[in-house]
Amino acid sequence: MVAVWLGVAVLGGVGAVLRFLVDRTVSHRLSGAFPSGIFVVNISGALVLGLLAGLELGPTTALLAGVALLGAYTTFSTWMLQTLELGTDRRVGLATANIVVSLALGIAAAALGWWIGMRL
């Protein structure tokens, strides 16, 4: 049990650092009003989580990879805050696009990952 707790702590930290690095890298390369960094983080996280689900991992591995690593990597709260900020900046089109496109591509990425995982 202690090893699982330590794994959650370590992998959660790794996921958070990866989110920071991917967000910053993408945001610098695709500057603009649209929050492209967190968008890429969340879509890539959905793809990998779908892949892990398709692989049908054991419960401990699923916990460590899905909850700890990917749970810390992806972020619902930052996505919603950025969407709110777009709305308060009167960029309603971008705010709406952030919600609709994130949901559509997130579901598609998770489904694609699951499909790939089931075939591995």
Side-chain angles (χ1 to χ4, degrees):
M1 233 9 213
V2 172
V4 172
W5 280 94
L6 288 173
V8 168
V10 169
L11 290 173
V14 169
V17 169
L18 286 174
R19 173 182 44 194
F20 176 78
L21 293 173
V22 171
D23 177 31
R24 295 294 173 202
T25 301
V26 172
S27 295
H28 286 341
R29 292 191 180 174
L30 300 175
S31 61
F34 189 79
S36 54
I38 293 300
F39 177 80
V40 168
V41 163
N42 286 337
I43 301 305
S44 62
L47 176 71
V48 174
L49 191 57
L51 175 71
L52 295 175
L55 291 173
E56 298 177 353
L57 304 173
T60 301
T61 305
L63 171 75
L64 292 173
V67 174
L69 180 65
L70 291 172
Y73 174 69
T74 60
T75 173
F76 182 82
S77 56
T78 303
W79 172 47
M80 287 295 100
L81 179 62
Q82 289 175 333
T83 302
L84 177 65
E85 289 171 346
L86 286 170
T88 59
D89 289 344
R90 299 183 190 268
R91 297 174 185 252
V92 177
L94 285 177
T96 302
N98 194 30
I99 292 169
V100 172
V101 175
S102 291
L103 287 173
L105 288 183
I107 292 168
L112 175 62
W114 178 80
W115 183 83
I116 292 168
M118 292 294 291
R119 280 145 185 80
L120 293 178

